[in-house]
């Protein structure tokens, strides 16, 4: 997987202003090494604090509150990454919802300046913010939760589906490598999931992963376990509709 052509700041090194802005990134978690969060790459993961949605199956509820105290400062992460040049391939910004933080672009710029690929996990709630980040990205995992009209029942936020599907179109137009992911809701039928997969295929999604819903640590304690095993739920999806189709957690 090739990097995008570095922007001028990559070659010259981040400016003092960029470094100062990056220090404002609020970090709720940090994983120094993973083989699963950026396919094919050894990566570190920065979990950004804050999310505008309240999905019942969310398993990172500690990251929802944007005002929660950070557990690690960006300069510590930056120093760690400097020591891992040549050992790590990439840095993934996850969450929470990373795109809500204005300091994210500066942190990504610093990561690129260190020579790492940059990945992003996002649910796409802020298309206009996402659009300003795309030139810094090598890979995106976009969480598409449902068809647009079904989003409010999951997120608790009106028109949230419009934002997510607009983000999908923006990433596709940018040419950044994209994987779309869906966590199957516990009460979904095979028809529900197949309808979503068909809509994504029609939109041109080429890499699609369906994930099992683990309700044991869900934000909503009333959420019942899935009624149908994931493999059975996904049986109606035609894998040939995608270049790459994965089931995770089944």
């Amino acid at each position: 997987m090739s990097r995008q052509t570095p922007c001028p700041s990559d070659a010259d090194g981040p400016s003092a202003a960029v470094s100062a802005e990056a220090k404002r990134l609020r970090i709720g978690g940090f994983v120094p090494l993973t083989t699963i969060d950026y396919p094919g790459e050894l990566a570190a993961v920065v979990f950004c604090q804050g999310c505008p949605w309240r999905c019942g199956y969310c398993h990172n509820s500690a990251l929802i509150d944007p005002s929660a105290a950070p557990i690690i400062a960006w300069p510590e992460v930056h120093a760690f990454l400097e020591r891992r040049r040549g050992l790590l391939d990439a840095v993934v910004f996850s969450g929470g919802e990373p795109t809500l933080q204005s300091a994210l672009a500066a942190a990504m710029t610093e990561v690129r300046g260190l020579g790492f690929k940059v990945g992003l996990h996002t649910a796409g709630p802020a298309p206009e913010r996402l659009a300003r980040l795309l030139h810094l990205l090598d890979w995106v995992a976009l969480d598409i939760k449902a068809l647009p009209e079904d989003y409010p029942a999951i997120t608790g936020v009106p028109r949230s589906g419009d934002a997510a599907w607009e983000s999908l179109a923006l990433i596709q137009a940018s040419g950044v490598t994209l994987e779309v992911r869906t966590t199957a809701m516990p009460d979904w039928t095979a028809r529900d999931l197949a309808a979503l997969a068909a809509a994504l295929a029609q939109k041109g999604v080429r890499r699609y992963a369906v994930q099992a819903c683990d309700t044991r640590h869900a934000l909503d304690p009333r959420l019942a376990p899935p009624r149908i095993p994931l493999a059975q739920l996904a049986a109606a999806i035609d894998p040939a509709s995608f270049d790459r189709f994965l089931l995770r957690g089944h």
Side-chain angles (χ1 to χ4, degrees):
M1 190 179 300
S2 61
R3 275 189 63 122
Q4 295 179 358
T5 303
C7 59
S9 61
D10 291 333
D12 302 336
S15 67
V18 168
S19 297
E21 177 66 9
K23 291 178 182 177
R24 298 179 53 246
L25 192 71
R26 301 180 65 83
I27 303 171
F30 179 65
V31 175
L33 177 63
T34 174
T35 61
I36 61 174
D37 288 279
Y38 190 135
E41 309 288 357
L42 295 177
V45 184
V46 178
F47 290 92
C48 299
Q49 197 73 43
C51 185
W53 295 344
R54 298 296 182 270
C55 304
Y57 57 66
C58 176
H59 62 275
N60 281 338
S61 58
L63 296 173
I64 292 177
D65 182 1
S67 65
I71 70 160
I72 187 172
W74 175 253
E76 295 178 63
V77 173
H78 188 277
F80 170 86
L81 295 174
E82 285 187 312
R83 299 192 299 271
R84 293 299 185 272
R85 291 193 197 189
L87 301 174
L88 290 175
D89 304 310
V91 178
V92 176
F93 292 88
S94 188
E97 175 48 54
T99 61
L100 298 187
Q101 294 204 38
S102 61
L104 183 61
M108 288 179 170
T109 298
E110 289 208 320
V111 165
R112 294 196 69 184
L114 291 173
F116 296 106
K117 295 177 182 178
V118 180
L120 174 68
H121 293 174
T122 180
E128 70 288 346
R129 291 175 176 262
L130 177 62
R132 295 194 292 269
L133 298 169
L134 289 170
H135 71 286
L136 296 169
L137 295 170
D138 298 289
W139 174 80
V140 178
L142 175 65
D143 181 19
I144 290 292
K145 301 177 183 294
L147 295 170
E149 61 270 21
D150 296 328
Y151 259 70
I154 298 174
T155 66
V157 177
R159 301 187 65 82
S160 48
D162 294 342
W165 284 71
E166 181 181 345
S167 292
L168 170 61
L170 287 171
I171 300 167
Q172 290 177 304
S174 76
V176 174
T177 302
L178 169 67
E179 177 181 285
V180 172
R181 299 174 172 179
T182 296
T183 298
M185 290 294 292
D187 61 347
W188 275 3
T189 65
R191 180 177 296 181
D192 294 326
L193 183 57
L196 175 58
L200 291 169
Q202 187 174 28
K203 288 291 186 180
V205 170
R206 305 315 309 153
R207 299 173 181 86
Y208 186 42
V210 178
Q211 305 173 156
C213 183
D214 184 354
T215 60
R216 292 172 297 177
H217 306 289
L219 176 64
D220 184 353
R222 301 166 300 176
L223 205 61
R227 297 183 302 169
I228 304 172
L230 184 62
Q232 181 179 340
L233 196 66
I237 297 174
D238 180 7
S241 300
F242 306 96
D243 293 339
R244 184 172 175 80
F245 176 67
L246 298 171
L247 295 182
R248 295 195 175 113
H250 66 293

